Amino acid sequence: MHSLSDRTRHTMSAVLAGEAGGWLRRFAFAGPAIIASVAYMDPGNYATNIQAGAGYGYALLWVVLLANLIAMLFQALSARLGIVTGKNLAELSRDSFPRPVVWIMWVVSEVAAMATDLAEFLGGAIGLALLFDLPLMAGMAITAIVTYAILIMERQGFRPMELIIGALVGVIGLCYLAEMLIAPVDWGAAAIGLSSPALPDAAALTIAVGIIGATVMPHAIYLHSGLTQGRAPVRDEVERRKLLRFSNVEVVLALAVAGMVNMAMVMMAASAFHQGHTEVAEIETAYHTLTPLLGAAAAGIFLASLIASGISSSVVGTMAGQMIMQGFLRVRVPIWIRRLVTMLPAFAVVAAGVNATDALVLSQVVLSIALPVPMIALLIFATRRDIMGEFAVGPVVRVLAGMGAAAVLGLNFVLLAAFFGLRMPFLAG
């Protein structure tokens, strides 16, 4: 999947062997976590963060922080799996579980990949349609062409793809840095919201569930293990341990950026909408409301970040879908077929007249159903000494990962219960 240049691999080898040093040379190892981090800044997060900021100001920032810490742990475990075993999560599942379980895992994971792509594809299309005053179908067509063009860049090697995705992540980050300079943020209230866990009411619980439930993405867990498998030339366990340290640092830095972008989304919505516009819940409404409140520049920057988010995450979603199919079935289909299959549900939804934001919400519910599959499989493999050897996680990480999984899965259950109308006593009121 990742054909790196001889020069990049030589640099990696020299750093791991201790023959070369310096921070610049360590950039050769960067890439997998940056690509995986795109899943945490996808359009599915936009609507949830806008709702959180508009409805509750800065009060739910602590939820974003908690979600990000859980995400860091699971992405680090996924990267560790690929580095230590040389296999990705889908391949290990295929080799370790009974055949009926493997088939069920594959079907659930494929549905999750399509749901992911629906959210990401729609997000980019909504941004283009609003920015250039186009029909949504036209925005979708442009998004399809651009994402396919980026995907075929892989023929030039995997490094150009990593650099393009990294550049798009940079665009998203710069957009929200600019938004923080434009929006009148109450930094004192933001600090309190970040450090004081509280849920003002039952509706806030539902939004908190949405934030956490959509954070640890099924396809990102599969993808990260595939991006690290066999990527760097490792000669012994000492070098493998050093590679794991580099990987963990990249995960923390990349997901810290993703977390700050999500916090910035909440803070922008809090400063712009919380006083007088608490009902703002849709991306389109947020854009139209931003223009008179903060000016055309703020609204334009918001859409630019949404377009970069939609395009980059759609590319990454297609890559993940390819890896899932290849891992579970040993089948690799041409990228244009993969792209076409994952796009069709989005076109069908829009052609049927379904509200785009409603479709985004529904996609998050589908992801919530699929999420236990890769999370539980990853926890099983990461703790098995027969698979991980001396790199099997210890009791502290095992407990933390178990707590994180229990929190995410429990909150996903709450989200699903609310969606399907099941009566939950603690959601009343």
Side-chain angles (χ1 to χ4, degrees), residues 15-267:
V15 172
L16 290 174
E19 297 164 5
W23 283 102
L24 281 177
R25 291 182 185 275
R26 292 189 184 185
F27 278 115
F29 296 91
I34 292 170
I35 288 178
S37 75
V38 169
Y40 300 92
M41 295 177 279
D42 75 353
N45 291 349
Y46 275 63
T48 317
N49 290 328
I50 287 168
Q51 286 179 7
Y56 297 97
Y58 304 93
L60 298 183
L61 278 172
W62 67 273
V63 180
V64 179
L65 177 62
L66 175 64
N68 211 244
L69 292 174
I70 294 172
M72 281 181 185
L73 179 56
F74 276 88
Q75 291 306 142
L77 287 177
S78 179
R80 185 188 194 93
L81 195 72
I83 289 168
V84 172
T85 66
K87 293 182 178 181
N88 62 52
L89 181 57
E91 290 170 341
L92 280 168
S93 299
R94 180 195 68 210
D95 295 342
S96 305
F97 296 134
R99 191 61 46 202
V101 174
V102 172
W103 278 103
I104 292 168
M105 286 182 72
W106 173 67
V107 170
V108 170
S109 302
E110 283 290 353
V111 171
M114 287 188 182
T116 300
D117 206 50
L118 172 65
E120 293 160 348
F121 193 57
L122 275 176
I126 290 169
L128 283 165
L130 288 172
L131 188 61
F132 298 108
D133 195 22
L134 300 169
L136 187 57
M137 276 291 186
M140 292 172 72
I142 295 169
T143 305
I145 293 166
V146 173
T147 51
Y148 182 68
I150 295 173
L151 283 163
I152 60 175
M153 285 292 293
E154 194 182 343
R155 294 173 186 170
Q156 311 300 318
F158 201 69
R159 198 59 173 169
M161 171 89 84
E162 290 181 341
L163 293 173
I164 291 169
I165 299 289
L168 288 168
V169 169
V171 168
I172 299 167
L174 287 174
C175 284
Y176 270 93
L177 179 61
E179 294 283 26
M180 290 299 92
L181 297 174
I182 294 171
V185 175
D186 184 341
W187 293 102
I192 292 169
L194 202 57
S195 56
S196 306
L199 291 168
D201 56 34
L205 173 61
T206 307
I207 293 175
V209 168
I211 291 171
I212 295 181
T215 292
V216 186
M217 305 290 277
H219 72 293
I221 294 176
Y222 282 114
L223 181 64
H224 207 157
S225 61
L227 294 174
T228 56
Q229 64 175 134
R231 185 175 187 274
V234 177
R235 285 169 289 224
D236 55 40
E237 301 305 88
V238 174
E239 290 190 2
R240 198 181 305 280
R241 199 168 288 281
K242 186 184 285 190
L243 180 59
L244 281 171
R245 285 201 303 272
F246 291 159
S247 172
N248 289 338
V249 168
E250 191 203 359
V251 166
V252 170
L253 292 177
L255 289 187
V257 170
M260 285 188 280
V261 167
N262 279 295
M263 288 176 198
M265 286 185 203
V266 175
M267 288 192 279

